[in-house]
Amino acid sequence: MGVIGVGYVGLVTAVCIAHLGHRVVCLDVDEAKVAALEAGRVPIYEPGLEDLMAGAAARLSFTTSYDELCRQARILFIAVDTPPSPSGDADLSRVQAVVREVRRHDGERLLVMKSTVPVGTGDRITAELEAAGHPGLGYVSNPEFLREGAAVDDVLHPDRIVIGAYREADGDEVAALFADIETTVVRTTVPTAEMIKYASNAFLATKISFINEIANVCEAVGADVRAVADGMGLDHRIGPHFLQAGIGYGGSCFPKDVQALKQLAGNSGYHFQLLNAVIEVNHLQKRRVVGKLKDRLGALRGRHVALLGLTFKPHTDDMREAASIVLAARLRDEGARVSAYDPMVPPGSRDDLFPGIEIARTALEALDGADAAVLVTEWPELVGLDWAVVRDRMRGRHVIDGRNVLDAARVAAAGLVVTGIGTADQPAGEPVASDDVR
Ligand code: UGA
């Protein structure tokens, strides 16, 4: 087995497949990354990955050489980046570079696409391979559905495995690799497998933007979005997941994939209206926090706002499309002094993303003298802060719960005013008024 590209998806896939008992050669063009991996160091933060990698070390090797990869491996998983291009389409240049490299090596091989690629990519690559007289390369689409922070569990205990193939035998070969995983295996054509991936991410993003809009209406009419989501989620046709209102989705996948599906539809002559709204709602949701701060503090010039959490979600060190980036820049533009703390972002490490923002070593240091605090990322250590101590360190009393995860009664009992998303403010020191689903 070979895995090309050892980013999040590639490395987790490689380690999990090695854990299942297969021998895996991993290739990356980044020499420093390969050297670190060879020395047993995991270059990303992903719970459980380091232990699993140590346990499977005997079956894992790393290289920068396609000669070595092709000598050892017949089934080649492609897990390179497909970042957005300036037009919003997925940029496939890295995928194409991989196919070119593999094509230079003779022999029967099976390319298995893990990278998220636009529908039609498999058809195009296969046609190019045939035109170039390289019939020995088979092609299977096997999209991944792992979440950062829960990636190992998502690979080893997935809701489903999707395998799209041109030849039945190629699909069988990939299915056999995952034979020890108990789950539903969906066998389809290649374009359908490619679409399942985009449609899944776009649907989850739609759920988030939908509940965020419901939250915004709840604020206007005096309802509580958390209870609304609980009440909705009990309907099995709706389900309880991805109905957590907040300051919008981020990360390396939803923003990119929703945009790419919109582009793909447009390129095929279809105007995907719903996705336009999903994207716009998500942009506006981050900015609403600034409005909430202005409502509570007045003009923000000279005010001190502390951001708690910077990564796009907890249990990852990933900053891609994090709401904190937009929020920090907007607050700075308003003339606020901004301090921040994140367990994964040491002081001075991300001046590129947060110019002019003071990154503190601890949450309390960031909160020192702040007029208001915004919980941006629901890291457990931030949710579990001792709010009485927080109150003593802050100058002001306002806490914006950007993820609706704080125990408003506990925080308010400490003398702070809690403002959630789609919920009524919880005044300091007063008993909680809550809607309970019993
Ligand atoms: C997402 C999908 O969940 C995976 O299934 C998919 O494989 C992956 O993209 C991918 O395409 O590679 P991920 O980006 O790691 O995974 O993170 P999620 O846990 O899905 O969260 C995405 C964003 O949505 C986060 O910013 C999170 O805070 C936000 N979110 C999530 C909400 O605002 N509300 C929710 O109810 C759920």
Side-chain angles (χ1 to χ4, degrees):
M1 282 263 327
V3 173
I4 303 169
V6 278
Y8 269 106
V9 172
L11 186 58
V12 174
T13 304
V15 169
C16 288
I17 294 176
H19 170 77
L20 291 172
H22 307 284
R23 253 181 42 71
V24 186
V25 190
C26 304
L27 178 140
D28 203 287
V29 288
D30 183 338
E31 286 179 11
K33 197 189 264 184
V34 167
L37 285 162
E38 269 180 325
R41 287 195 302 275
V42 180
I44 53 169
Y45 172 73
E46 185 59 46
L49 188 61
E50 204 162 337
D51 286 351
L52 210 65
M53 186 166 133
R59 289 184 295 281
L60 275 166
S61 61
F62 301 91
T63 182
T64 53
S65 153
Y66 274 91
D67 290 345
E68 193 177 331
L69 175 83
C70 290
R71 236 189 344 265
Q72 298 194 38
R74 214 184 69 71
I75 303 180
L76 301 178
F77 279 78
I78 301 179
V80 292
D81 285 17
T82 53
S85 66
S87 64
D89 297 281
D91 173 358
L92 292 182
S93 55
R94 289 175 196 152
V95 168
Q96 280 154 349
V98 167
V99 176
R100 264 197 313 277
E101 286 289 347
V102 175
R103 247 171 59 183
R104 294 198 299 109
H105 294 81
D106 290 334
E108 297 250 323
R109 284 194 186 81
L110 186 56
L111 297 175
V112 186
M113 189 60 74
K114 272 270 169 219
S115 300
T116 302
V117 292
V119 183
T121 301
D123 285 0
R124 221 170 75 196
I125 290 179
T126 312
E128 281 165 15
L129 288 172
E130 271 167 21
H134 213 311
L137 282 180
Y139 186 99
V140 168
S141 167
N142 173 224
E144 59 79 23
F145 300 98
L146 58 84
R147 288 162 303 168
E148 289 181 19
V152 169
D153 200 48
D154 282 349
V155 173
L156 295 177
H157 307 282
D159 288 344
R160 76 300 208 187
I161 292 174
V162 174
I163 298 175
Y166 294 105
R167 294 184 303 221
E168 186 88 6
D170 291 343
D172 291 347
E173 205 167 347
V174 175
L177 286 174
F178 301 115
D180 288 343
I181 294 179
E182 245 176 74
T183 191
T184 307
V185 177
V186 181
R187 296 286 295 264
T188 69
T189 64
V190 170
T192 299
E194 292 168 341
M195 187 52 118
I196 290 173
K197 168 69 189 184
Y198 274 110
S200 301
N201 272 2
F203 185 71
L204 292 171
T206 303
K207 271 186 115 174
I208 297 170
S209 278
F210 179 84
I211 201 67
N212 281 336
E213 289 220 278
I214 293 287
N216 300 342
V217 179
C218 282
E219 285 175 12
V221 300
D224 186 315
V225 75
R226 292 165 302 186
V228 172
D230 285 350
M232 286 170 62
L234 288 170
D235 184 327
H236 73 274
R237 295 167 303 175
I238 297 173
H241 306 291
F242 278 69
L243 289 179
Q244 179 79 21
I247 54 178
Y249 60 77
S252 62
C253 304
F254 286 173
K256 160 176 88 71
D257 292 350
V258 174
Q259 185 68 33
L261 179 54
K262 181 192 132 178
Q263 282 305 124
L264 178 78
N267 296 346
S268 324
Y270 182 72
H271 178 56
F272 206 142
Q273 277 198 68
L274 184 59
L275 291 187
N276 279 327
V278 169
I279 294 166
E280 194 185 344
V281 168
N282 197 54
H283 283 315
L284 294 177
Q285 200 65 14
K286 301 171 195 169
R287 290 159 184 266
R288 280 178 69 85
V289 174
V290 178
K292 283 177 191 278
L293 285 168
K294 280 183 178 168
D295 285 348
R296 270 99 193 149
L297 299 177
L300 296 178
R301 182 156 301 280
R303 296 299 207 140
H304 176 185
V305 180
L307 300 182
L308 300 177
L310 295 170
T311 52
F312 86 93
K313 67 174 192 178
H315 310 294
T316 175
D317 57 359
D318 201 333
M319 296 298 315
R320 284 176 286 183
E321 300 281 336
S324 61
I325 301 171
V326 174
L327 201 51
R330 282 288 303 115
L331 290 170
R332 216 185 42 235
D333 291 348
E334 293 283 337
R337 171 182 162 204
V338 185
S339 58
Y341 166 74
D342 188 287
M344 282 291 151
V345 185
S349 63
R350 294 315 305 256
D351 291 345
D352 54 332
L353 294 178
F354 301 105
I357 307 295
E358 303 155 35
I359 310 271
R361 279 185 309 262
T362 65
L364 290 179
E365 191 181 301
L367 288 158
D368 229 348
D371 294 299
V374 183
L375 181 74
V376 180
T377 315
E378 65 276 34
W379 284 99
E381 77 164 270
L382 298 175
V383 176
L385 278 169
D386 183 334
W387 295 96
V389 177
V390 170
R391 185 210 51 226
D392 289 345
R393 295 292 283 262
M394 286 176 65
R395 188 168 62 189
R397 291 281 169 270
H398 292 284
V399 176
I400 310 264
D401 178 3
R403 297 291 174 185
N404 278 358
V405 287
L406 293 180
D407 179 344
R410 208 160 59 83
V411 182
L416 295 160
V417 184
V418 188
T419 302
I421 310 289
T423 64
D425 276 15
Q426 180 65 43
E430 287 187 15
V432 213
S434 69
D435 297 311
D436 273 341
V437 177
R438 287 172 207 284

